[in-house]
Amino acid sequence: MPQRSLIDQLPEIVRDGRREAQRILEGLGSSRRVGLQTRELVLPNPNSSGLDLRALSTTDAMGGISATGGATGPGDTTGTPPETGRPDLNRLIFGDNLLAITALLAGDEEHESLRGKVDLIYIDPPFDSKADYRSKITLPAAGGSHENVDVSKRPTVAEQSAYSDTWASGTASYLRMITPRLILMRELLKDTGSIYVHLGIQVNHPVKLVLDEIFGKRNFVEEIIWAYGSPSGGRAAGSKLVKMHEYIEHYAYSYRERDEHKIYLPYSEKYIANWFKWTDEDGRPYRRRSRGNGLWERQYLDESRGVPASTVWTDIKQVYADPRAYKSDQARHSEITGYATQKPERLLHRIIKHSCPAGGLVADFFVGSGTTAAVAEKLGRRWIAVDQGKPAVMITRKRLIDIADAPTPDGRARPFLYQSVGDYQIEQARNVLGRRFRIGDLTRVCSACTASTGPCRCRPR
Ligand SMILES: C[S@@+](CC[C@H](N)C(=O)[O-])C[C@H]1O[C@@H](n2cnc3c(N)ncnc32)[C@H](O)[C@@H]1O
């Protein structure tokens, strides 16, 4: 039988995606809904003043309390209780994002439903490029240098699909994967929320059609071309042109053409030299701007916002896993995690600053090496980060712990929860100990494994 074209299949893919999402939404209230288990409360700053750990350890389903830089447990911390009850913790979630989103929409005893609560979603799903990232995780070698080291552990089935962006029947199955997820993401967004979907040339065009269906053409804001450059300086292999861009599709609700939506980029030195060539009696550089009728006014450099950004972003370069690409650029060098598809922090910085208010909530359901969470943390936004690959969540966890320039008194990241989806062991425990059982209870019962780092590994007897 001849294969049906993608155009033929598209209406059916969208219809099936809607049905699947609808089924999930209808099941949110049921007692058998998907839940998230908290495996760890991660404390990047072991002192964590202002956080009442005792309150958290008794009210949360907590698998373990992990403080970096010192042993800390529920009993040995004296923090001032937060002013408004339970703090709103950021969450790193290990598991398939369909289940994670379902659980976030459903909420649970400790966390309210996030339906309509998220200010900004950025996602960078794999691209259906038939590429396989399994051999491309670069681990730091001894002495802090980076060398390409293959991940030797055989990945689980879930991890295989996390590392590899190959879908069995090509773009159609990719669209089947992404459609219900996008519909559920829409449910999480505030009515002033934005979503940015980062796509490669392989899938951008069909996914754009799906996005128009789900978010509505009228809510399409812009297509950003991210021209990320190339370490080869653009020397082409073979006869093809050098690929140097990806797409970021932006949709938003209640988004009007307002000046606050403009992004301004700093002037280049050349621009300043050419235009701001006058200085006043105090030495402040300015340029002359015509007011018509032969009149001029001064526009001071220190009062100018910069050049309005266009939809083509050429000033943010790709992150290369090999630090030799940077030579002397230490700031960029420190950003490298070795994760093959890592995106630059500056890219997320621009998006988050532009589309999430201070203190707002940012979510990334394909977080990879944790760029979105790290930048949100540094910008003082709240975040939720999900990935189904164990290496990805481990890299993200470490990256957050290592942050030293967050807007907190000591520059460290705020405490966050490490959660996972669908833990059958915990389900078993619930069957034995009753539905009200929580991991935190088990930690207290089993003194043998109340180590301050990591979840309890004991099985219920
Ligand atoms: C292109 S990478 C994201 C890179 C990220 N933007 C960064 O800066 O590191 C895509 C990620 O999506 C994850 N992923 C793929 N399918 C997923 C799913 N169904 N649920 C959760 N994560 C998934 C993969 O494990 C991978 O880490």
Side-chain angles (χ1 to χ4, degrees), residues 95-98 122 124-126 161-163 167 177 181 339 341-343 364-372 386-389 392 399:
D96 185 287
N97 49 28
L98 189 74
Y122 165 88
D124 172 23
S161 73
Y163 296 138
W167 269 264
M177 180 280 290
R181 287 169 169 80
Y339 203 73
T341 54
Q342 181 182 349
K343 299 300 177 293
D364 185 340
F365 300 106
F366 296 84
V367 84
S369 64
T371 312
T372 306
V386 181
D387 204 289
Q388 70 175 11
R399 188 170 178 179

PDB file of all heavy atoms in Angstrom, residues 95-98 122 124-126 161-163 167 177 181 339 341-343 364-372 386-389 392 399, ligand 1:
ATOM      1  N   GLY A  95      11.079  11.917  34.374  1.00  0.00           N
ATOM      2  CA  GLY A  95      10.028  11.065  33.828  1.00  0.00           C
ATOM      3  C   GLY A  95       9.487  11.609  32.527  1.00  0.00           C
ATOM      4  O   GLY A  95       9.857  12.711  32.084  1.00  0.00           O
ATOM      5  N   ASP A  96       8.622  10.840  31.914  1.00  0.00           N
ATOM      6  CA  ASP A  96       8.017  11.275  30.656  1.00  0.00           C
ATOM      7  C   ASP A  96       7.173  12.528  30.896  1.00  0.00           C
ATOM      8  O   ASP A  96       6.402  12.601  31.854  1.00  0.00           O
ATOM      9  CB  ASP A  96       7.123  10.161  30.106  1.00  0.00           C
ATOM     10  CG  ASP A  96       6.580  10.523  28.740  1.00  0.00           C
ATOM     11  OD1 ASP A  96       5.679  11.404  28.671  1.00  0.00           O
ATOM     12  OD2 ASP A  96       7.046   9.965  27.754  1.00  0.00           O
ATOM     13  N   ASN A  97       7.325  13.487  30.000  1.00  0.00           N
ATOM     14  CA  ASN A  97       6.649  14.763  30.255  1.00  0.00           C
ATOM     15  C   ASN A  97       5.125  14.683  30.136  1.00  0.00           C
ATOM     16  O   ASN A  97       4.409  15.490  30.718  1.00  0.00           O
ATOM     17  CB  ASN A  97       7.229  15.880  29.383  1.00  0.00           C
ATOM     18  CG  ASN A  97       7.342  15.485  27.943  1.00  0.00           C
ATOM     19  OD1 ASN A  97       6.575  14.644  27.471  1.00  0.00           O
ATOM     20  ND2 ASN A  97       8.285  16.079  27.230  1.00  0.00           N
ATOM     21  N   LEU A  98       4.605  13.698  29.401  1.00  0.00           N
ATOM     22  CA  LEU A  98       3.141  13.577  29.314  1.00  0.00           C
ATOM     23  C   LEU A  98       2.577  13.286  30.712  1.00  0.00           C
ATOM     24  O   LEU A  98       1.589  13.876  31.143  1.00  0.00           O
ATOM     25  CB  LEU A  98       2.749  12.466  28.335  1.00  0.00           C
ATOM     26  CG  LEU A  98       1.269  12.404  28.002  1.00  0.00           C
ATOM     27  CD1 LEU A  98       0.878  13.544  27.063  1.00  0.00           C
ATOM     28  CD2 LEU A  98       0.899  11.082  27.348  1.00  0.00           C
ATOM     29  N   TYR A 122       9.039  27.151  27.687  1.00  0.00           N
ATOM     30  CA  TYR A 122      10.009  27.040  26.588  1.00  0.00           C
ATOM     31  C   TYR A 122      10.259  25.557  26.439  1.00  0.00           C
ATOM     32  O   TYR A 122      10.505  24.860  27.427  1.00  0.00           O
ATOM     33  CB  TYR A 122      11.323  27.764  26.935  1.00  0.00           C
ATOM     34  CG  TYR A 122      12.469  27.383  26.016  1.00  0.00           C
ATOM     35  CD1 TYR A 122      12.690  28.063  24.819  1.00  0.00           C
ATOM     36  CD2 TYR A 122      13.324  26.330  26.336  1.00  0.00           C
ATOM     37  CE1 TYR A 122      13.724  27.692  23.966  1.00  0.00           C
ATOM     38  CE2 TYR A 122      14.359  25.965  25.493  1.00  0.00           C
ATOM     39  CZ  TYR A 122      14.554  26.657  24.310  1.00  0.00           C
ATOM     40  OH  TYR A 122      15.584  26.282  23.464  1.00  0.00           O
ATOM     41  N   ASP A 124      12.339  22.555  23.874  1.00  0.00           N
ATOM     42  CA  ASP A 124      13.324  22.290  22.827  1.00  0.00           C
ATOM     43  C   ASP A 124      13.294  20.780  22.587  1.00  0.00           C
ATOM     44  O   ASP A 124      14.204  20.067  22.988  1.00  0.00           O
ATOM     45  CB  ASP A 124      14.683  22.772  23.366  1.00  0.00           C
ATOM     46  CG  ASP A 124      15.857  22.393  22.489  1.00  0.00           C
ATOM     47  OD1 ASP A 124      15.649  22.148  21.295  1.00  0.00           O
ATOM     48  OD2 ASP A 124      16.979  22.356  23.027  1.00  0.00           O
ATOM     49  N   PRO A 125      12.162  20.295  22.014  1.00  0.00           N
ATOM     50  CA  PRO A 125      12.067  18.844  21.853  1.00  0.00           C
ATOM     51  C   PRO A 125      13.082  18.368  20.825  1.00  0.00           C
ATOM     52  O   PRO A 125      13.492  19.140  19.964  1.00  0.00           O
ATOM     53  CB  PRO A 125      10.635  18.631  21.355  1.00  0.00           C
ATOM     54  CG  PRO A 125      10.145  19.948  20.883  1.00  0.00           C
ATOM     55  CD  PRO A 125      11.001  21.012  21.468  1.00  0.00           C
ATOM     56  N   PRO A 126      13.481  17.087  20.921  1.00  0.00           N
ATOM     57  CA  PRO A 126      14.410  16.575  19.912  1.00  0.00           C
ATOM     58  C   PRO A 126      13.792  16.736  18.524  1.00  0.00           C
ATOM     59  O   PRO A 126      12.579  16.855  18.388  1.00  0.00           O
ATOM     60  CB  PRO A 126      14.564  15.111  20.288  1.00  0.00           C
ATOM     61  CG  PRO A 126      14.022  14.981  21.652  1.00  0.00           C
ATOM     62  CD  PRO A 126      13.057  16.072  21.875  1.00  0.00           C
ATOM     63  N   SER A 161      14.971   6.479  24.155  1.00  0.00           N
ATOM     64  CA  SER A 161      14.225   7.459  23.368  1.00  0.00           C
ATOM     65  C   SER A 161      14.571   8.870  23.817  1.00  0.00           C
ATOM     66  O   SER A 161      14.382   9.823  23.098  1.00  0.00           O
ATOM     67  CB  SER A 161      12.725   7.194  23.410  1.00  0.00           C
ATOM     68  OG  SER A 161      12.215   7.528  24.652  1.00  0.00           O
ATOM     69  N   ALA A 162      15.127   9.000  25.036  1.00  0.00           N
ATOM     70  CA  ALA A 162      15.552  10.333  25.473  1.00  0.00           C
ATOM     71  C   ALA A 162      16.824  10.754  24.752  1.00  0.00           C
ATOM     72  O   ALA A 162      16.952  11.888  24.309  1.00  0.00           O
ATOM     73  CB  ALA A 162      15.782  10.330  26.975  1.00  0.00           C
ATOM     74  N   TYR A 163      17.789   9.857  24.623  1.00  0.00           N
ATOM     75  CA  TYR A 163      19.033  10.220  23.964  1.00  0.00           C
ATOM     76  C   TYR A 163      18.851  10.347  22.467  1.00  0.00           C
ATOM     77  O   TYR A 163      19.498  11.114  21.792  1.00  0.00           O
ATOM     78  CB  TYR A 163      20.099   9.139  24.165  1.00  0.00           C
ATOM     79  CG  TYR A 163      20.523   8.926  25.577  1.00  0.00           C
ATOM     80  CD1 TYR A 163      20.715   7.645  26.057  1.00  0.00           C
ATOM     81  CD2 TYR A 163      20.745   9.998  26.426  1.00  0.00           C
ATOM     82  CE1 TYR A 163      21.116   7.428  27.350  1.00  0.00           C
ATOM     83  CE2 TYR A 163      21.134   9.785  27.723  1.00  0.00           C
ATOM     84  CZ  TYR A 163      21.320   8.499  28.185  1.00  0.00           C
ATOM     85  OH  TYR A 163      21.706   8.275  29.460  1.00  0.00           O
ATOM     86  N   TRP A 167      12.302   8.648  15.592  1.00  0.00           N
ATOM     87  CA  TRP A 167      10.971   8.086  15.796  1.00  0.00           C
ATOM     88  C   TRP A 167      10.703   7.049  14.723  1.00  0.00           C
ATOM     89  O   TRP A 167      11.068   7.265  13.558  1.00  0.00           O
ATOM     90  CB  TRP A 167       9.906   9.183  15.776  1.00  0.00           C
ATOM     91  CG  TRP A 167       9.682   9.681  17.152  1.00  0.00           C
ATOM     92  CD1 TRP A 167       8.710   9.275  18.012  1.00  0.00           C
ATOM     93  CD2 TRP A 167      10.467  10.638  17.854  1.00  0.00           C
ATOM     94  NE1 TRP A 167       8.845   9.922  19.211  1.00  0.00           N
ATOM     95  CE2 TRP A 167       9.910  10.754  19.146  1.00  0.00           C
ATOM     96  CE3 TRP A 167      11.597  11.383  17.542  1.00  0.00           C
ATOM     97  CZ2 TRP A 167      10.432  11.588  20.107  1.00  0.00           C
ATOM     98  CZ3 TRP A 167      12.111  12.218  18.507  1.00  0.00           C
ATOM     99  CH2 TRP A 167      11.535  12.317  19.769  1.00  0.00           C
ATOM    100  N   MET A 177       3.628  12.204  18.868  1.00  0.00           N
ATOM    101  CA  MET A 177       4.216  12.364  20.203  1.00  0.00           C
ATOM    102  C   MET A 177       3.952  13.779  20.734  1.00  0.00           C
ATOM    103  O   MET A 177       3.506  13.982  21.854  1.00  0.00           O
ATOM    104  CB  MET A 177       5.728  12.095  20.098  1.00  0.00           C
ATOM    105  CG  MET A 177       6.541  12.217  21.374  1.00  0.00           C
ATOM    106  SD  MET A 177       6.990  13.896  21.897  1.00  0.00           S
ATOM    107  CE  MET A 177       8.177  14.414  20.695  1.00  0.00           C
ATOM    108  N   ARG A 181       0.920  16.482  23.954  1.00  0.00           N
ATOM    109  CA  ARG A 181       1.732  17.206  24.954  1.00  0.00           C
ATOM    110  C   ARG A 181       1.513  18.710  24.818  1.00  0.00           C
ATOM    111  O   ARG A 181       1.360  19.420  25.807  1.00  0.00           O
ATOM    112  CB  ARG A 181       3.209  16.839  24.780  1.00  0.00           C
ATOM    113  CG  ARG A 181       3.509  15.418  25.263  1.00  0.00           C
ATOM    114  CD  ARG A 181       4.891  14.953  24.848  1.00  0.00           C
ATOM    115  NE  ARG A 181       5.264  13.718  25.514  1.00  0.00           N
ATOM    116  CZ  ARG A 181       4.870  12.499  25.161  1.00  0.00           C
ATOM    117  NH1 ARG A 181       4.056  12.346  24.111  1.00  0.00           N
ATOM    118  NH2 ARG A 181       5.250  11.437  25.827  1.00  0.00           N
ATOM    119  N   TYR A 339      26.466  18.197  27.517  1.00  0.00           N
ATOM    120  CA  TYR A 339      25.235  17.623  26.960  1.00  0.00           C
ATOM    121  C   TYR A 339      25.115  18.062  25.499  1.00  0.00           C
ATOM    122  O   TYR A 339      25.128  19.277  25.214  1.00  0.00           O
ATOM    123  CB  TYR A 339      24.031  18.113  27.768  1.00  0.00           C
ATOM    124  CG  TYR A 339      22.834  17.219  27.656  1.00  0.00           C
ATOM    125  CD1 TYR A 339      22.806  15.989  28.289  1.00  0.00           C
ATOM    126  CD2 TYR A 339      21.728  17.599  26.904  1.00  0.00           C
ATOM    127  CE1 TYR A 339      21.705  15.157  28.184  1.00  0.00           C
ATOM    128  CE2 TYR A 339      20.618  16.771  26.804  1.00  0.00           C
ATOM    129  CZ  TYR A 339      20.619  15.551  27.449  1.00  0.00           C
ATOM    130  OH  TYR A 339      19.527  14.726  27.334  1.00  0.00           O
ATOM    131  N   THR A 341      22.981  18.541  23.170  1.00  0.00           N
ATOM    132  CA  THR A 341      22.022  19.483  22.583  1.00  0.00           C
ATOM    133  C   THR A 341      21.812  20.721  23.453  1.00  0.00           C
ATOM    134  O   THR A 341      20.808  21.420  23.309  1.00  0.00           O
ATOM    135  CB  THR A 341      20.675  18.773  22.369  1.00  0.00           C
ATOM    136  OG1 THR A 341      20.287  18.196  23.619  1.00  0.00           O
ATOM    137  CG2 THR A 341      20.764  17.688  21.322  1.00  0.00           C
ATOM    138  N   GLN A 342      22.757  20.982  24.324  1.00  0.00           N
ATOM    139  CA  GLN A 342      22.639  22.128  25.242  1.00  0.00           C
ATOM    140  C   GLN A 342      22.501  23.441  24.471  1.00  0.00           C
ATOM    141  O   GLN A 342      23.195  23.696  23.494  1.00  0.00           O
ATOM    142  CB  GLN A 342      23.898  22.198  26.114  1.00  0.00           C
ATOM    143  CG  GLN A 342      23.877  23.336  27.108  1.00  0.00           C
ATOM    144  CD  GLN A 342      25.161  23.395  27.927  1.00  0.00           C
ATOM    145  OE1 GLN A 342      25.977  22.482  27.893  1.00  0.00           O
ATOM    146  NE2 GLN A 342      25.330  24.477  28.668  1.00  0.00           N
ATOM    147  N   LYS A 343      21.611  24.302  24.955  1.00  0.00           N
ATOM    148  CA  LYS A 343      21.423  25.615  24.335  1.00  0.00           C
ATOM    149  C   LYS A 343      22.103  26.681  25.199  1.00  0.00           C
ATOM    150  O   LYS A 343      22.263  26.494  26.398  1.00  0.00           O
ATOM    151  CB  LYS A 343      19.918  25.928  24.194  1.00  0.00           C
ATOM    152  CG  LYS A 343      19.182  24.932  23.305  1.00  0.00           C
ATOM    153  CD  LYS A 343      19.729  24.906  21.894  1.00  0.00           C
ATOM    154  CE  LYS A 343      19.065  23.881  20.994  1.00  0.00           C
ATOM    155  NZ  LYS A 343      19.302  22.484  21.329  1.00  0.00           N
ATOM    156  N   ASP A 364       9.908  24.010  31.533  1.00  0.00           N
ATOM    157  CA  ASP A 364      10.543  23.393  30.362  1.00  0.00           C
ATOM    158  C   ASP A 364      10.364  21.890  30.510  1.00  0.00           C
ATOM    159  O   ASP A 364      10.848  21.288  31.478  1.00  0.00           O
ATOM    160  CB  ASP A 364      12.028  23.775  30.315  1.00  0.00           C
ATOM    161  CG  ASP A 364      12.704  23.264  29.035  1.00  0.00           C
ATOM    162  OD1 ASP A 364      12.163  22.327  28.402  1.00  0.00           O
ATOM    163  OD2 ASP A 364      13.767  23.803  28.680  1.00  0.00           O
ATOM    164  N   PHE A 365       9.648  21.284  29.562  1.00  0.00           N
ATOM    165  CA  PHE A 365       9.330  19.865  29.676  1.00  0.00           C
ATOM    166  C   PHE A 365      10.292  18.969  28.895  1.00  0.00           C
ATOM    167  O   PHE A 365      10.100  17.762  28.833  1.00  0.00           O
ATOM    168  CB  PHE A 365       7.875  19.628  29.251  1.00  0.00           C
ATOM    169  CG  PHE A 365       6.921  20.396  30.128  1.00  0.00           C
ATOM    170  CD1 PHE A 365       6.278  21.533  29.676  1.00  0.00           C
ATOM    171  CD2 PHE A 365       6.721  20.002  31.437  1.00  0.00           C
ATOM    172  CE1 PHE A 365       5.432  22.258  30.497  1.00  0.00           C
ATOM    173  CE2 PHE A 365       5.873  20.719  32.283  1.00  0.00           C
ATOM    174  CZ  PHE A 365       5.229  21.851  31.803  1.00  0.00           C
ATOM    175  N   PHE A 366      11.310  19.556  28.284  1.00  0.00           N
ATOM    176  CA  PHE A 366      12.374  18.798  27.602  1.00  0.00           C
ATOM    177  C   PHE A 366      13.693  19.471  28.031  1.00  0.00           C
ATOM    178  O   PHE A 366      14.413  20.015  27.207  1.00  0.00           O
ATOM    179  CB  PHE A 366      12.233  18.906  26.085  1.00  0.00           C
ATOM    180  CG  PHE A 366      10.983  18.293  25.497  1.00  0.00           C
ATOM    181  CD1 PHE A 366       9.785  18.981  25.445  1.00  0.00           C
ATOM    182  CD2 PHE A 366      11.022  17.001  24.955  1.00  0.00           C
ATOM    183  CE1 PHE A 366       8.641  18.425  24.873  1.00  0.00           C
ATOM    184  CE2 PHE A 366       9.891  16.431  24.388  1.00  0.00           C
ATOM    185  CZ  PHE A 366       8.693  17.146  24.347  1.00  0.00           C
ATOM    186  N   VAL A 367      13.981  19.442  29.310  1.00  0.00           N
ATOM    187  CA  VAL A 367      14.965  20.400  29.829  1.00  0.00           C
ATOM    188  C   VAL A 367      16.416  20.047  29.527  1.00  0.00           C
ATOM    189  O   VAL A 367      17.299  20.897  29.606  1.00  0.00           O
ATOM    190  CB  VAL A 367      14.749  20.636  31.340  1.00  0.00           C
ATOM    191  CG1 VAL A 367      15.437  19.569  32.186  1.00  0.00           C
ATOM    192  CG2 VAL A 367      15.225  22.026  31.733  1.00  0.00           C
ATOM    193  N   GLY A 368      16.692  18.801  29.160  1.00  0.00           N
ATOM    194  CA  GLY A 368      18.063  18.414  28.785  1.00  0.00           C
ATOM    195  C   GLY A 368      19.045  18.731  29.893  1.00  0.00           C
ATOM    196  O   GLY A 368      18.910  18.272  31.032  1.00  0.00           O
ATOM    197  N   SER A 369      20.024  19.579  29.594  1.00  0.00           N
ATOM    198  CA  SER A 369      21.075  19.877  30.576  1.00  0.00           C
ATOM    199  C   SER A 369      20.637  20.930  31.588  1.00  0.00           C
ATOM    200  O   SER A 369      21.444  21.356  32.414  1.00  0.00           O
ATOM    201  CB  SER A 369      22.310  20.380  29.844  1.00  0.00           C
ATOM    202  OG  SER A 369      22.019  21.608  29.202  1.00  0.00           O
ATOM    203  N   GLY A 370      19.400  21.408  31.504  1.00  0.00           N
ATOM    204  CA  GLY A 370      18.887  22.310  32.543  1.00  0.00           C
ATOM    205  C   GLY A 370      19.080  23.789  32.272  1.00  0.00           C
ATOM    206  O   GLY A 370      18.969  24.613  33.190  1.00  0.00           O
ATOM    207  N   THR A 371      19.314  24.165  31.025  1.00  0.00           N
ATOM    208  CA  THR A 371      19.570  25.585  30.727  1.00  0.00           C
ATOM    209  C   THR A 371      18.420  26.467  31.214  1.00  0.00           C
ATOM    210  O   THR A 371      18.645  27.486  31.871  1.00  0.00           O
ATOM    211  CB  THR A 371      19.776  25.772  29.211  1.00  0.00           C
ATOM    212  OG1 THR A 371      20.698  24.780  28.757  1.00  0.00           O
ATOM    213  CG2 THR A 371      20.324  27.145  28.895  1.00  0.00           C
ATOM    214  N   THR A 372      17.187  26.091  30.904  1.00  0.00           N
ATOM    215  CA  THR A 372      16.040  26.930  31.278  1.00  0.00           C
ATOM    216  C   THR A 372      15.951  27.098  32.795  1.00  0.00           C
ATOM    217  O   THR A 372      15.749  28.212  33.297  1.00  0.00           O
ATOM    218  CB  THR A 372      14.731  26.300  30.748  1.00  0.00           C
ATOM    219  OG1 THR A 372      14.878  26.085  29.353  1.00  0.00           O
ATOM    220  CG2 THR A 372      13.535  27.194  31.001  1.00  0.00           C
ATOM    221  N   VAL A 386      11.517  19.251  33.440  1.00  0.00           N
ATOM    222  CA  VAL A 386      11.218  17.822  33.298  1.00  0.00           C
ATOM    223  C   VAL A 386      12.125  17.221  32.240  1.00  0.00           C
ATOM    224  O   VAL A 386      12.381  17.845  31.198  1.00  0.00           O
ATOM    225  CB  VAL A 386       9.744  17.612  32.861  1.00  0.00           C
ATOM    226  CG1 VAL A 386       9.417  16.125  32.727  1.00  0.00           C
ATOM    227  CG2 VAL A 386       8.773  18.288  33.821  1.00  0.00           C
ATOM    228  N   ASP A 387      12.600  16.010  32.481  1.00  0.00           N
ATOM    229  CA  ASP A 387      13.273  15.254  31.428  1.00  0.00           C
ATOM    230  C   ASP A 387      13.162  13.773  31.756  1.00  0.00           C
ATOM    231  O   ASP A 387      13.163  13.387  32.924  1.00  0.00           O
ATOM    232  CB  ASP A 387      14.745  15.644  31.281  1.00  0.00           C
ATOM    233  CG  ASP A 387      15.262  15.332  29.883  1.00  0.00           C
ATOM    234  OD1 ASP A 387      15.429  14.129  29.555  1.00  0.00           O
ATOM    235  OD2 ASP A 387      15.469  16.276  29.101  1.00  0.00           O
ATOM    236  N   GLN A 388      13.079  12.952  30.700  1.00  0.00           N
ATOM    237  CA  GLN A 388      12.947  11.522  30.938  1.00  0.00           C
ATOM    238  C   GLN A 388      14.299  10.813  30.902  1.00  0.00           C
ATOM    239  O   GLN A 388      14.373   9.612  31.100  1.00  0.00           O
ATOM    240  CB  GLN A 388      11.994  10.879  29.938  1.00  0.00           C
ATOM    241  CG  GLN A 388      12.528  10.814  28.532  1.00  0.00           C
ATOM    242  CD  GLN A 388      11.596  10.064  27.591  1.00  0.00           C
ATOM    243  OE1 GLN A 388      10.458   9.773  27.938  1.00  0.00           O
ATOM    244  NE2 GLN A 388      12.069   9.752  26.419  1.00  0.00           N
ATOM    245  N   GLY A 389      15.359  11.531  30.629  1.00  0.00           N
ATOM    246  CA  GLY A 389      16.688  10.911  30.599  1.00  0.00           C
ATOM    247  C   GLY A 389      17.383  11.107  31.939  1.00  0.00           C
ATOM    248  O   GLY A 389      17.426  12.218  32.467  1.00  0.00           O
ATOM    249  N   ALA A 392      20.257  13.575  31.859  1.00  0.00           N
ATOM    250  CA  ALA A 392      19.786  14.963  31.774  1.00  0.00           C
ATOM    251  C   ALA A 392      19.419  15.502  33.166  1.00  0.00           C
ATOM    252  O   ALA A 392      19.860  16.582  33.558  1.00  0.00           O
ATOM    253  CB  ALA A 392      18.590  15.058  30.834  1.00  0.00           C
ATOM    254  N   ARG A 399      24.023  21.174  37.901  1.00  0.00           N
ATOM    255  CA  ARG A 399      24.171  22.533  37.376  1.00  0.00           C
ATOM    256  C   ARG A 399      23.517  23.552  38.308  1.00  0.00           C
ATOM    257  O   ARG A 399      24.042  24.639  38.549  1.00  0.00           O
ATOM    258  CB  ARG A 399      23.513  22.572  35.993  1.00  0.00           C
ATOM    259  CG  ARG A 399      23.741  23.839  35.240  1.00  0.00           C
ATOM    260  CD  ARG A 399      23.267  23.648  33.830  1.00  0.00           C
ATOM    261  NE  ARG A 399      23.417  24.857  33.052  1.00  0.00           N
ATOM    262  CZ  ARG A 399      23.087  24.968  31.773  1.00  0.00           C
ATOM    263  NH1 ARG A 399      22.594  23.923  31.125  1.00  0.00           N
ATOM    264  NH2 ARG A 399      23.259  26.098  31.140  1.00  0.00           N
TER     265      ARG A 399
HETATM  266  C1  LIG B   1      17.137  18.827  22.561  1.00  0.00           C
HETATM  267  S1  LIG B   1      17.228  18.259  24.197  1.00  0.00           S
HETATM  268  C2  LIG B   1      16.962  19.696  25.180  1.00  0.00           C
HETATM  269  C3  LIG B   1      18.234  20.471  25.403  1.00  0.00           C
HETATM  270  C4  LIG B   1      18.050  21.645  26.340  1.00  0.00           C
HETATM  271  N1  LIG B   1      17.334  22.730  25.718  1.00  0.00           N
HETATM  272  C5  LIG B   1      19.375  22.137  26.871  1.00  0.00           C
HETATM  273  O1  LIG B   1      19.671  23.341  26.794  1.00  0.00           O
HETATM  274  O2  LIG B   1      20.140  21.317  27.364  1.00  0.00           O
HETATM  275  C6  LIG B   1      15.712  17.385  24.318  1.00  0.00           C
HETATM  276  C7  LIG B   1      15.511  16.669  25.640  1.00  0.00           C
HETATM  277  O3  LIG B   1      14.201  16.159  25.655  1.00  0.00           O
HETATM  278  C8  LIG B   1      14.182  14.982  26.439  1.00  0.00           C
HETATM  279  N2  LIG B   1      12.957  14.239  26.092  1.00  0.00           N
HETATM  280  C9  LIG B   1      12.624  13.664  24.907  1.00  0.00           C
HETATM  281  N3  LIG B   1      11.410  13.118  24.975  1.00  0.00           N
HETATM  282  C10 LIG B   1      10.942  13.366  26.233  1.00  0.00           C
HETATM  283  C11 LIG B   1       9.734  13.046  26.918  1.00  0.00           C
HETATM  284  N4  LIG B   1       8.746  12.384  26.323  1.00  0.00           N
HETATM  285  N5  LIG B   1       9.603  13.434  28.204  1.00  0.00           N
HETATM  286  C12 LIG B   1      10.596  14.119  28.839  1.00  0.00           C
HETATM  287  N6  LIG B   1      11.775  14.447  28.231  1.00  0.00           N
HETATM  288  C13 LIG B   1      11.934  14.073  26.949  1.00  0.00           C
HETATM  289  C14 LIG B   1      15.481  14.291  26.079  1.00  0.00           C
HETATM  290  O4  LIG B   1      15.889  13.437  27.131  1.00  0.00           O
HETATM  291  C15 LIG B   1      16.422  15.470  25.887  1.00  0.00           C
HETATM  292  O5  LIG B   1      17.168  15.719  27.046  1.00  0.00           O
END
